[in-house]
Amino acid sequence: MSLAPSRFSPILALLVLTAALGVGCVNPVTPETGSAELSLTGSLPNFGGVVIGTTKDLTFTVTNIGASDATLSPLSSASLALTAPYSLVGGTCQPGVNLHALSADTCTLFIRFTPAFEAHVSQALILSYQDPTLTTPANSKLNLDGYGVLDCLNHFQPACPTPLPALSISDGVTYDYKSVAIGATADHTFLVTNTGRAAGTLGDLSTLGLGLAAPFSAVGGTCATGASVAALTGSCTLIVRYTPMSQDSAIATMTLSYSGSGAFTATRGVSGTGVLDCHAFPQPQCP
């Protein structure tokens, strides 16, 4: 059958040609589908220096910035390829969680660094996930780095030196009683302080035990022979008396013996000068 020519024939011919070529709205092109891509952001991957005996946690946010959905694989320290001193300790990410493509879907990973040595430790955190556009699991990687720091004062470790006491006696290199009248006495209280990391046991605190002799003598205080002075904050007192017998200058060294993983001493010089005060303290040599 033949089609009679009409004034609509050019329009029909154009429609037939368009359909045959597969252009325009008759056969639209479908965009190509991309794959998923997970990013880990939020905290610096560098843990920095962490005191041995303590821990530091960092939080990482997982976001799908790819063009396909991502389903998280089982999560554990081992599945993230982490070994000590790094570990997974929590977060909102769970196995099977689906992070939709180009969405606001996120979850978090809490990673802990627990150093045991004074050394840099670098590891790669590897997060595996399922991507429906791929036949095998995909993964995202983040490099972690941190190092251990010794703090033997607050967190003693086997690598720290043996704790020792460190006793000191107050009042400078030498304490000067200055001028004291013959027949009179002058007492001074010295503070003994332990700044070491171990307690110190006091030795003989008698006048002889302190290495003193007339005109100096030990007459009291809270320190006691055989007593313990606590580490870091411990203290006690020694009272030493000066009793001049002549108009001469006297100089001596007080030596405090103590022990604690060894034998130690602390010293302090003492000095004084005797003077005549014939009005207050008459002496045979007074006129």
Side-chain angles (χ1 to χ4, degrees), residues 25-220:
C25 62
V26 176
N27 185 25
V29 176
T30 301
E32 184 179 11
T33 301
S35 59
E37 181 181 353
L38 298 186
S39 70
L40 292 94
T41 59
S43 296
L44 291 174
N46 189 343
F47 284 80
V50 178
V51 172
I52 299 170
T54 68
T55 63
K56 182 177 182 178
D57 294 346
L58 290 182
T59 301
F60 299 96
T61 301
V62 180
T63 308
N64 186 358
I65 61 174
S68 176
D69 291 354
T71 303
L72 296 181
S73 300
L75 291 171
S76 66
S77 295
S79 70
L80 294 175
L82 296 179
T83 59
Y86 295 100
S87 61
L88 172 68
V89 293
T92 60
C93 292
Q94 298 294 326
V97 166
N98 188 26
L99 299 177
H100 295 94
L102 302 174
S103 72
D105 293 350
T106 63
C107 64
T108 56
L109 296 172
F110 301 158
I111 306 300
R112 176 167 294 169
F113 179 51
T114 309
F117 305 102
E118 284 186 292
H120 272 274
V121 182
S122 297
Q123 284 186 24
L125 181 157
I126 301 175
L127 176 63
S128 296
Y129 56 93
Q130 301 293 328
D131 182 341
T133 68
L134 303 175
T135 58
T136 58
N139 61 68
S140 295
K141 182 184 293 186
L142 180 70
N143 292 321
L144 306 176
D145 183 77
Y147 59 93
V149 178
L150 274 178
D151 180 0
C152 295
L153 186 63
N154 299 302
H155 299 277
F156 185 79
Q157 300 295 318
C160 291
T162 301
L164 298 174
L167 271 58
S168 61
I169 306 172
S170 65
D171 295 289
V173 177
T174 300
Y175 177 77
D176 188 4
Y177 286 82
K178 302 185 182 303
S179 298
V180 178
I182 300 170
T185 62
D187 292 347
H188 182 74
T189 301
F190 295 89
L191 181 65
V192 177
T193 305
N194 185 4
T195 58
R197 292 185 294 108
T201 301
L202 297 174
D204 184 358
L205 299 185
S206 66
T207 299
L208 182 62
L210 291 173
L212 297 175
F216 301 101
S217 60
V219 295

